[in-house]
Amino acid sequence: MKQVLFLGRGGQGAVTSAQVLAIAAFKDGKYSQAFPNFGVERMGAPVRSYARIDTKEITLREQVYEANYAIILDPTLVNQLTEKVTDLIIVNSNKKPSELGLKTDAKVKCVDITSIALKVIGKPFVNIAAIGAFSALTKEVSISAISEAIRQQMGHKGNMVEKNIDAIREVSNLAKQEE
Amino acid sequence: MSEKKVISGAEGVAIAVKLCKPKVLPMYPITPSTLVPEKLSEFVFNGEIDAQMIHVESEHSAISALYGAYATGVRAFTATASQGLALMHEIIPIVSGARFPAVMFVANRALSGPLNIWNDHSDSMSERDQGWIQLYCESNQEAFDTIIMAYKIAESKKVLLPVMVCADGFYLTHAYEPIQIEEQKKVDKFLPKYEPVDYLDTNNPKSFGAFAQPNTYMEFKEEEEKAMREALKEIIKVNKDFEKTFGRKYGNGLIEGINLSGAEHAILCVGSVCGTVREVIKELKKEGKKVGLIKLKSVRPLPVEDLKMLCKDLKVLGVIDRHASIGFGGALTNDIRSALMDEEVRVEGFIAGLGGRDINKEKIRELVETILKEKEGYWLK
């Protein structure tokens, strides 16, 4: 089982990130689960959400204490990451991993998701686009499944759907160069 | 069309309700049940369900309107949590006393104070003596399925008691996971059109909510007790029917024993924590420790005979209570201990997970160590 942690700020959509990832993993034929770190969400405050992906049915209900992957949507939150991450941390940042001051044994990759979101979507909406980086760097979920998941979860948001799908592709291509 | 989809538990519940075709939906949203009325409101607006949604001014009104709807002879539904359920308290026994087969969804949440929006069972456990059947759910698929089963159980002419379908707030309501969504035709076949026993009819006037004097009141209550005993059989029957139609079942409908064969120690719990206990039990098995799980689905009626059967080879049973009966341990522990009074098994109670405190694998292992050493239960913080 793979455990994924999203860390963002209230309003950035980290809860939706985990939901879309879980829907996408299921569309890829896996079992999945997503849930927020149960808190009162306040605009700007740190928000955590989690996803689990497995080839077997998931019955575990505890919060995520040790993640395989962490995705940090706001680079100013790197110091807020208290959970152990074993495999990979993806940070939305235009800096180099060594400049972030992250103390971890996991690999760290920086992808400038905000710049792509501003270019493609026209707004700094990074929560969905970030899954593109996750897809490229971990191969845990396919781009086509993420696109389908967005259509299921954000269908009512009109042209934002296609813009987010475009952003995912661009972020994924950028992340591949990081590899 | 039948399809499997990753959606939230609350959305799953709302879809299950839609498939049961209630006519009246009196709703007063409260965290963490809010997504249920939100989704149902969408279904009404889109014309996907032919129901009247009533935006009532409080939970007290929501359940009063639920009573009113049933008095007119239609199927109805409401959902609530925490203080919302507490505010309904006055009307809760009036619905069961009228023998209306209502279904209510409870998104389990701690009671204030201090104010807390997170999960525990203090809301529904405090209402367990009011003549409502209480069914707890481990997963979102089980919550979806239990809503459909609940109407069939409640409406059985041998039962005619309302059902509370309880699912852990946030742990289930806000969790996204795969849910098999059944098709309308199949649900219609499983749950036939509602046929009320009694309803308000100007051509055939009857008195509802009548006064019962000391010479009859006890008989009314005794009838409810008898109906609860009938419910024990009916729940088993409905669970079997459900399996035949949809291919899924939950133990015998009332209770389920997991990994009990050869085990002398077991954990009994209700709700979503059963899933985490399952994981721990698997890990322990690999380590050579044999620990069983008793998943209790029906808290009311309490399946005493089934419970005794499952416990016959046990030495110690650790009960997880997500609720404290302040002043005398945990309500669930007290019930289980009383049910097993004449049995060999020793029952130890563990109060855990109050106000959203996570009951994680580490805490369950701590509980297991305690019961393996045959020590006393405590507040597992």
Side-chain angles (χ1 to χ4, degrees), chain A residues 3-21:
Chain A
Q3 305 199 108
V4 188
L5 183 160
F6 287 88
L7 178 58
R9 291 194 179 275
Q12 265 191 310
V15 175
T16 308
S17 307
Q19 292 166 356
V20 169
L21 176 58

Side-chain angles (χ1 to χ4, degrees), chain B residues 55-188:
Chain B
H55 296 236
V56 288
E57 68 276 33
S58 75
E59 288 89 351
H60 190 280
S61 304
I63 193 153
S64 299
L66 188 76
Y67 177 98
Y70 272 94
T72 69
V74 297
R75 200 177 271 159
F77 173 83
T78 192
T80 193
S82 183
Q83 245 67 16
L85 187 63
L87 187 57
M88 289 180 174
H89 176 73
E90 187 188 359
I91 311 301
I92 282 172
I94 301 181
V95 176
S96 47
R99 306 295 297 276
F100 288 145
V103 172
M104 165 156 64
F105 175 68
V106 178
N108 283 116
R109 163 181 158 184
L111 286 174
S112 297
L115 176 63
N116 180 293
I117 62 160
W118 293 271
N119 165 253
D120 71 27
H121 295 159
S122 53
D123 48 4
S124 57
M125 283 292 172
S126 301
E127 300 298 340
R128 73 194 188 286
D129 302 335
Q130 306 303 333
W132 285 60
I133 291 166
Q134 282 198 349
L135 303 175
Y136 288 76
C137 305
E138 178 186 342
S139 67
N140 285 337
Q141 183 69 61
E142 187 172 348
F144 177 93
D145 294 346
T146 305
I147 291 281
I148 299 168
M149 285 194 268
Y151 278 105
K152 197 168 168 95
I153 295 161
E155 292 170 10
S156 157
K157 297 287 187 284
K158 289 179 187 158
V159 179
L160 292 175
L161 286 173
V163 182
M164 266 181 220
V165 176
C166 305
D168 288 317
F170 295 108
Y171 280 100
L172 293 182
T173 55
H174 287 56
Y176 275 62
E177 59 187 19
I179 300 181
Q180 178 71 43
I181 297 161
E182 299 298 345
E183 55 188 44
Q184 187 68 61
K185 245 181 27 202
K186 255 177 155 179
V187 176
D188 286 345

